[in-house]
């Protein structure tokens, strides 16, 4: 018994030291045999991986349209089980992951709040996650605490039952699978004009606490001749860690509060809402910044091919009348999340090549 307890303590020891390392030194832990095993950071994705995920998502989308294709897909992983541990509110990440699992035949369980798990009795989040690993083959986690998914994956990789962990959003830090679906949306939208390479992208709103724009910025290093425009009120400017990353990778970015001057020149406008949930006193913050909104009048100002994106949910950033314009792609963007998440899960379980090359 004493020895068992000591082993458990060893498993949790060393986290702080690991957590504070440079990201480059951490990535190996989350891969096995040259493939990603856990999906924690956007920095884990390179161009070849992103291109293959986009192709796989399109193939799954195509197959799922017919009963024959859908039956083939749902027979692929019906011996696998996944846990969706979403203890921070979510609509689309949760539903799209749930449906992505079901497309591939994976059985799912879910916990959507710490008050409905034994954490209410004092069980630690780490022990909770280890418990999931006793029952399932994949854990998808959304948590309000920065670094939670990373710690989960790190802990499980030190146990006798490591299972893959996907970060479905960790505090204001990262949302790597949102970045995947954003890339898929950008690539599909620009298919007829050479794809994402060479494009100008504006990110607008709460860039300081918006994990989606943070993760997407990291991915820009994989594309040629990208220019970024960070459009935000002074208090919500992009943090230095992202700007340092962009400088290191020679990706030009411009910071401005003058949204009007940016609208006519960019190829994509990525709107975000004010993330009041991370404020010390949310009731004291406004989420209405009219100079940083898109209205129907802007439709005559932006370029004819310029797409309008939003990770959603929206508040006031995009007027509802904009939704009917073909350049407003945010509803397609959220649906793309289901296809690219199915692609990612298929990859993690090693059935990606079967779907790409055998399911014709
Ligand atoms: N984009 C996104 O993460 O949405 P949800 O919070 O609804 O999952």
């Amino acid at each position: 018994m004493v020895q068992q307890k000591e082993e458990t303590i060893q498993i949790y020891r060393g986290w702080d030291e690991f957590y504070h390392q440079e990201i480059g030194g951490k990535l190996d832990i989350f891969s096995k045999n040259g493939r990603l095993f856990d999906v924690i950071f956007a920095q884990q994705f390179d161009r070849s991986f992103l291109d293959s995920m986009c192709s796989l998502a399109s193939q799954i989308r195509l197959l799922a349209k017919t009963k024959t294709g859908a039956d083939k897909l749902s027979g692929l992983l019906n011996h696998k089980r996944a846990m969706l541990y979403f203890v921070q509110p979510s609509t689309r990440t949760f539903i799209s992951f749930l449906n992505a699992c079901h497309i591939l035949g994976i059985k799912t369980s879910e916990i959507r709040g710490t008050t409905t798990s034994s954490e209410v009795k004092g069980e630690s989040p780490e022990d909770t996650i280890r418990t999931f690993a006793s029952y399932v083959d994949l854990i998808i986690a959304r948590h309000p605490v920065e670094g939670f998914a990373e710690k989960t994956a790190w802990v499980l990789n030190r146990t006798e039952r490591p299972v893959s962990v996907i970060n479905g959003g960790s505090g204001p830090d990262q949302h790597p699978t949102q970045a995947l679906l954003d890339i898929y949306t950008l690539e599909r939208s620009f298919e007829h004009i050479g794809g994402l390479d060479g494009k100008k992208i504006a990110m607008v709103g709460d860039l300081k606490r918006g994990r989606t724009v943070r993760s997407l910025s990291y991915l820009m290093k994989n594309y040629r001749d990208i220019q970024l425009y960070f459009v935000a009120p002074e208090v919500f400017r992009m943090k230095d860690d992202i700007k340092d990353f962009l400088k290191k990778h020679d990706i030009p970015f411009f910071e401005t509060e003058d949204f009007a001057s940016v609208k006519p020149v960019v190829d994509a406008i990525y709107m975000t809402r004010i993330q009041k949930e991370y404020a010390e006193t949310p009731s004291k913050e406004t989420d209405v910044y009219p100079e940083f909104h898109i209205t129907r009048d802007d439709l005559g100002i932006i370029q004819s091919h310029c797409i309008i994106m939003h990770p959603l949910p929206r508040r006031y950033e995009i007027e509802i009348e904009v939704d009917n314009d073909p350049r407003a792609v945010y509803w397609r963007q959220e649906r793309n999340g289901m296809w690219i998440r199915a692609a990612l899960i298929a990859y993690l379980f090693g059935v990606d090549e079967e779907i790409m090359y055998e399911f014709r």
Side-chain angles (χ1 to χ4, degrees):
M1 257 335 242
V2 172
Q3 193 191 344
Q4 251 182 10
K5 188 155 189 211
E6 184 53 29
E7 277 169 14
T8 301
I9 291 167
Q10 286 297 347
I11 284 166
Y12 295 146
R13 193 165 282 159
W15 162 248
D16 283 340
E17 198 182 321
F18 178 81
Y19 185 54
H20 291 106
Q21 276 181 63
E22 288 286 315
I23 197 117
K26 299 191 197 182
L27 297 183
D28 281 354
I29 286 237
F30 303 118
S31 292
K32 286 195 193 341
N33 305 319
R35 286 170 70 94
L36 300 187
F37 182 75
D38 303 296
V39 176
I40 308 298
F41 315 107
Q43 294 94 314
Q44 289 176 278
F45 307 145
D46 61 19
R47 179 68 184 258
S48 121
F49 179 81
L50 292 165
D51 287 348
S52 68
M53 282 302 102
C54 290
S55 303
L56 187 58
S58 292
Q59 172 81 342
I60 292 172
R61 175 199 293 268
L62 195 68
L63 285 163
K65 280 187 179 161
T66 65
K67 178 156 171 39
T68 313
D71 284 346
K72 279 184 178 174
L73 287 170
S74 65
L76 271 175
L77 294 171
N78 56 9
H79 57 304
K80 298 290 182 188
R81 294 180 297 277
M83 177 76 209
L84 280 81
Y85 178 65
F86 273 60
V87 296
Q88 189 188 35
S90 166
T91 299
R92 59 229 91 225
T93 310
F94 177 79
I95 300 281
S96 61
F97 263 123
L98 191 73
N99 282 285
C101 287
H102 294 171
I103 286 167
L104 299 167
I106 298 172
K107 283 133 193 124
T108 51
S109 332
E110 63 191 61
I111 285 183
R112 300 216 61 185
T114 51
T115 54
T116 56
S117 76
S118 280
E119 284 173 87
V120 83
K121 300 175 208 160
E123 186 166 42
S124 70
E126 293 78 16
D127 283 359
T128 302
I129 292 288
R130 286 192 70 181
T131 301
F132 301 154
S134 298
Y135 306 121
V136 301
D137 309 288
L138 169 68
I139 295 169
I140 305 161
R142 166 170 290 196
H143 203 280
V145 173
E146 192 171 319
F148 179 81
E150 182 183 349
K151 185 170 186 185
T152 298
W154 179 84
V155 167
L156 290 182
N157 282 328
R158 294 153 70 91
T159 68
E160 283 172 5
R161 195 169 155 72
V163 302
S164 290
V165 174
I166 300 178
N167 180 1
S170 52
D173 178 30
Q174 282 250 4
H175 196 350
T177 64
Q178 175 74 41
L180 273 186
L181 74 93
D182 292 340
I183 289 291
Y184 186 45
T185 303
L186 286 157
E187 287 280 43
R188 275 178 70 81
S189 302
F190 297 141
E191 221 162 27
H192 58 297
I193 49 169
L196 176 50
D197 290 318
K199 300 296 182 293
K200 297 185 174 83
I201 300 169
M203 298 185 184
V204 186
D206 184 350
L207 308 183
K208 183 177 165 189
R209 302 174 298 192
R211 59 193 175 196
T212 61
V213 281
R214 290 175 55 77
S215 288
L216 186 57
S217 296
Y218 282 125
L219 292 192
M220 290 302 127
K221 83 165 178 10
N222 296 298
Y223 297 87
R224 287 187 301 279
D225 303 324
I226 295 287
Q227 292 181 41
L228 294 178
Y229 293 74
F230 293 143
V231 185
E234 179 70 29
V235 285
F236 297 131
R237 286 174 79 159
M238 187 59 95
K239 283 190 185 166
D240 286 343
D241 60 339
I242 297 288
K243 290 189 272 186
D244 291 344
F245 176 89
L246 295 171
K247 282 179 204 157
K248 188 172 155 196
H249 292 277
D250 289 327
I251 301 164
F253 65 89
F254 311 95
E255 292 189 280
T256 180
E257 291 185 49
D258 182 8
F259 191 16
S261 69
V262 171
K263 283 173 194 165
V265 300
V266 292
D267 304 293
I269 298 176
Y270 192 108
M271 300 297 294
T272 65
R273 82 184 156 85
I274 304 301
Q275 311 263 313
K276 266 166 78 164
E277 63 269 41
Y278 297 115
E280 276 177 25
T281 45
S283 59
K284 288 195 179 150
E285 266 196 24
T286 176
D287 39 19
V288 187
Y289 284 82
E291 318 86 274
F292 300 91
H293 294 179
I294 287 264
T295 68
R296 75 197 92 164
D297 295 338
D298 292 320
L299 297 173
I301 293 167
I302 64 173
Q303 299 197 69
S304 57
H305 68 272
C306 175
I307 58 167
I308 303 167
M309 300 174 70
H310 195 308
L312 303 176
R314 86 172 133 193
R315 296 298 306 280
Y316 311 100
E317 315 75 59
I318 304 178
E319 208 172 45
I320 289 167
E321 285 77 3
V322 173
D323 291 11
N324 291 334
D325 191 280
R327 293 166 293 179
V329 299
Y330 28 91
W331 300 113
R332 261 180 278 158
Q333 185 184 349
E334 68 173 9
R335 189 166 162 76
N336 285 341
M338 178 173 70
W339 304 121
I340 201 95
R341 286 174 172 133
L344 179 66
I345 293 168
Y347 163 88
L348 289 176
F349 283 118
V351 293
D352 45 330
E353 297 215 342
E354 195 174 341
I355 294 172
M356 275 315 283
Y357 305 114
E358 292 173 34
F359 282 15
R360 297 249 172 218

